[in-house]
């Protein structure tokens, strides 16, 4: 007795070699983007900590040369050095936490998280570009060169991050389709196993009923008598 499953199998996935994992290839840009987001987020947290520590410095205890530089800076910006450092610390802390949080969802290939990470990264690139232009407008000197080098490192990382995020955004749809195919294949396999078990049970029940119909007296025969030695007195 054969049983034919009423469920049609899902469309076969793309034929690939046994050692090739399409999902790993499709998710590679998302994983790289996530790693960069984690690195930039941790770097931002350290910068926030440093800015918070700088805000606690007592400018009156600084040497006259540094104190003069700070006073000149405050006169140009019309803001206190401590207030600026506290504001920078809070803003950098929020950015670092956002980068790390987005990195968690970007690694999973979530399209909204990838788009949000692209927007935040583009905003950070714009801020760095404005800071670099501001460094050129200040003048020239060793401090300006050092500032440009410090800004160039995160700028390079952010540009590389944008490239990886764009690739991850292109692969997001293919990743979702491949995962749906995997889920459909697993569900179809489960249905096949359930149908096979049910068919086996039905076959066993059919054979049991058939045997009862062929030998109807076997179920009505009395049990055999006990041995003579066990006959009660």
């Amino acid at each position: 007795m054969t049983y034919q499953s009423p469920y049609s199998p899902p469309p076969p996935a793309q034929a690939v070699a046994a050692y090739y994992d399409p999902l790993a290839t499709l998710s590679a840009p998302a994983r790289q983007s996530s790693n960069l987001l984690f690195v930039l987020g941790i770097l931002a947290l350290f910068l926030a900590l440093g800015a918070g520590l700088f805000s606690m410095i007592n400018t009156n205890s600084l040497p006259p040369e540094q104190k003069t530089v700070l006073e000149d800076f405050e006169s140009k910006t019309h803001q206190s050095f401590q207030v600026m450092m506290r504001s920078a610390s809070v803003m950098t802390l929020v950015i670092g936490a956002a980068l790390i949080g987005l990195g968690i969802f970007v690694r999973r290939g979530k399209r909204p998280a990838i788009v949000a990470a692209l927007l935040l990264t583009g905003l950070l690139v714009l801020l760095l570009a404005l800071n670099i232009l501001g460094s050129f407008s200040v003048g020239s000197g060793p401090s300006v060169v050092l500032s440009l080098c410090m800004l160039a490192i995160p700028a390079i990382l952010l540009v590389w991050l944008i490239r990886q995020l764009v690739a991850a955004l292109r692969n997001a749809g293919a990743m979702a389709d491949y995962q749906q195919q995997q889920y459909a294949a697993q569900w179809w396999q489960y249905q096949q196993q359930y149908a096979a078990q049910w068919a086996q049970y039905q076959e066993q029940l059919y054979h049991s009923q058939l045997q009862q119909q062929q030998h109807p007296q076997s179920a009505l025969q009395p049990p055999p008598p006990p041995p003579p030695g066990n006959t009660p007195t």
Side-chain angles (χ1 to χ4, degrees), residues 49-64:
L49 178 61
L53 293 176
F54 271 113
S55 65
M56 301 178 185
I57 295 177
N58 187 8
T59 57
N60 295 325
S61 60
L62 294 175

Side-chain angles (χ1 to χ4, degrees), residues 122-186:
L123 179 61
L124 293 177
V125 170
L126 180 61
L127 292 176
L128 280 177
L130 293 176
N131 287 329
I132 291 174
L133 293 177
S135 300
F136 280 116
S137 64
V138 170
S140 61
S143 60
V144 176
V145 176
L146 180 61
S147 176
L148 290 176
C149 292
M150 293 178 61
L151 293 175
I153 295 175
I156 293 173
L157 291 177
L158 289 172
V159 171
W160 180 256
L161 175 59
I162 290 177
R163 179 180 177 183
Q164 295 299 321
L165 286 172
V166 171
L169 185 61
R170 287 200 301 263
N171 293 349
M175 282 181 59
D177 294 339
Y178 183 80
Q179 288 175 347
Q180 288 180 357
Q181 289 182 1
Q182 281 190 326
Y183 295 151
Q186 292 175 358

Side-chain angles (χ1 to χ4, degrees), residues 47 56 60 69-70 89 97 101-102 122 127 134 159 161 164 179 201 210 212-213 217:
L47 291 176
M56 301 178 185
N60 295 325
V69 172
L70 285 179
S89 176
L102 288 173
L127 292 176
V159 171
L161 175 59
Q164 295 299 321
Q179 288 175 347
Y201 170 75
L210 185 61
Q212 290 180 3
Q213 292 176 1
Q217 300 297 328

Side-chain angles (χ1 to χ4, degrees), residues 31-54:
R31 293 196 307 269
Q32 295 177 4
S33 301
S34 176
N35 293 334
L36 286 173
L37 286 168
F38 289 150
V39 170
L40 290 171
I42 294 173
L43 180 61
L45 294 181
F46 278 110
L47 291 176
L49 178 61
L53 293 176
F54 271 113

